[in-house]
Amino acid sequence: MGSKFSKIGFVLAVAGSAVGLGNAWKFPTLVGQNGGSAFVLLYLVLTLGVAFVIFLAELSIGKLSEKDPVNGYKTLAPTNKKTWSMAGFTMLGAILIVSFYSLVIGWVVKYMYFSATGNLSQTLEESEKQFTNLLLNDFLSQFICFSLIFLIVFYVVSKGVKNGIERLNVWMMPTLFILLILMLFYALSHTNGFSEALQFLFVPDFSKISGTSILEALALAFFSLSLGVGTIITYSASLPDKTNFITSTLNIILINILIGLMMGLIVFTFIFEFGANPNQAGPGLIFISLTTLFAKLGIVGYILGATFFLSLIFAGITSAISMIEPFAFYLINTFKMSRKNALILIGLIVYILGNLCILSTLSITEFKILGMSFFDVLDYISGKIIMPLGGILAAIFVGFVMKKKALEILFEPYMSGVFFKVWYFFLRFIAPLAVIIIVINAFK
Ligand code: TRP
């Protein structure tokens, strides 16, 4: 990415990457499917004990090498440079992610349009029909909305991440936050649904937890912090000196968790209030639950809805950008490609994969691989295989291969010695082991 971010620019770019549909769409959906509170607790523990630890490892690789993931590993490995550089190719996972992720942003575009035109349903059944209809039958809308997002995302990346997008973030993140608070207040006035939602999210019931749900929680913790596929390495390559990256990271994690929880409270309040089953709604959960909320509020709701979906679109776009940048940065560095050519190549792949995702859920062209739609296959491979692998490799590399001295120098200004020791221990022994055990346990 060449030059460095401004101090606040780095924080905004990483926060922009972290906060996205992972919080607004994946979090409530997975919480619903995995029985609520115990899953939330697991997610919090794994975020702090594993994801945070690995986040700092990826940040170190980026900051100390100032390169893309592949060349970063290569530069920092004292021996076996070629072999270690392979670890950087986990960044291709981000290309799989951006293909289905842009489609989900496309759905949000469609919902913004529904809100703006007053076309939302008042009952849960009706909204569920509306959502299923979009996925099963409406190729044209999905194609147009996906293509639109695709063009915007690639256009912004072509301008370089640091121009423009930073400025956008300054406005969009607070807007999203304020809208969430307003919606939370409205949810609060539905006392029954709200108290059920509170209970669902915060009173743990461990009987609902299985090996697979632990892996889901881990994958979500990685996904929502953009870990394991080179994003954090790439952004940290432009981390300005003298930024207190520990405080920044903790702030980003806090915002991320907060947005997820607020979103969850809002969504589940309306799910319970209107008597739906949180675990049945699937990927449409947020669309189905929120649209009924907006529809009930009449004209105010339509305005609120359109603004809310718009801010989600922006949150999604800043995340999507961060998935493309690592591979683009690599192609530019390694093959001396122009940014434009690199993006044409990546764009071609993403556009094809994205369209296959659309086709894979339509009722007429539906195709499944091992019982999953192509959409779910991309989600599965990236989230449950590549991201954990990328995380383990980063942990082992920074914990065992890189020189400790360089890390101490990097961390010293912002972290007390004790904290460093704890982090280093977690990095070497707890985090990689936890990831390995969780993955094996889920697959056996
Ligand atoms: N963290 C983002 C979200 O929660 C998604 C995201 C952005 C991401 N960059 C990523 C996920 C890289 C995995 C890898 O929506």
Side-chain angles (χ1 to χ4, degrees), residues 246-433:
I246 305 284
T247 344
S248 312
T249 306
L250 285 172
N251 283 334
I252 291 165
I253 290 182
L254 198 72
I255 297 173
N256 214 12
I257 291 177
L258 215 59
I259 293 193
L261 287 179
M262 293 204 294
M263 210 44 216
L265 272 176
I266 297 164
V267 168
F268 289 115
T269 298
F270 293 96
I271 290 285
F272 288 123
E273 186 73 29
F274 306 131
N277 180 351
N279 135 39
Q280 247 170 26
L285 191 68
I286 72 152
F287 298 104
I288 295 164
S289 152
L290 290 179
T291 42
T292 41
L293 149 68
F294 296 136
K296 282 193 194 303
L297 284 171
I299 180 82
V300 180
Y302 289 120
I303 298 171
L304 191 69
T307 330
F308 176 75
F309 286 125
L310 184 67
S311 60
L312 264 196
I313 293 171
F314 279 99
I317 289 176
T318 51
S319 299
I321 287 165
S322 76
M323 300 173 196
I324 300 171
E325 188 62 21
F327 192 34
F329 192 34
Y330 162 76
L331 291 175
I332 296 167
N333 281 343
T334 313
F335 302 104
K336 307 282 166 266
M337 265 189 201
S338 65
R339 180 165 273 270
K340 185 169 153 222
N341 286 344
L343 290 178
I344 289 175
L345 179 69
I346 301 174
L348 214 61
I349 304 173
V350 172
Y351 200 60
I352 294 174
L353 292 179
N355 276 299
L356 287 176
C357 285
I358 303 180
L359 294 176
S360 79
T361 60
L362 286 180
S363 59
I364 38 166
T365 47
E366 175 192 38
F367 60 95
K368 290 194 167 3
I369 303 170
L370 297 173
M372 283 190 281
S373 67
F374 186 67
F375 182 114
D376 291 335
V377 170
L378 292 190
D379 189 10
Y380 191 92
I381 297 178
S382 55
K384 309 229 167 75
I385 300 172
I386 302 181
M387 284 170 36
L389 181 68
I392 295 175
L393 291 173
I396 294 178
F397 184 75
V398 178
F400 293 97
V401 179
M402 262 170 67
K403 298 203 183 67
K404 190 175 175 193
K405 193 77 212 143
L407 293 169
E408 280 172 341
I409 296 172
L410 177 65
F411 281 79
E412 200 227 41
Y414 315 111
M415 214 188 217
S416 70
V418 183
F419 193 91
F420 181 84
K421 283 205 180 82
V422 174
W423 170 71
Y424 201 61
F425 177 78
F426 265 71
L427 181 68
R428 303 179 91 187
F429 304 108
I430 309 287
L433 264 184

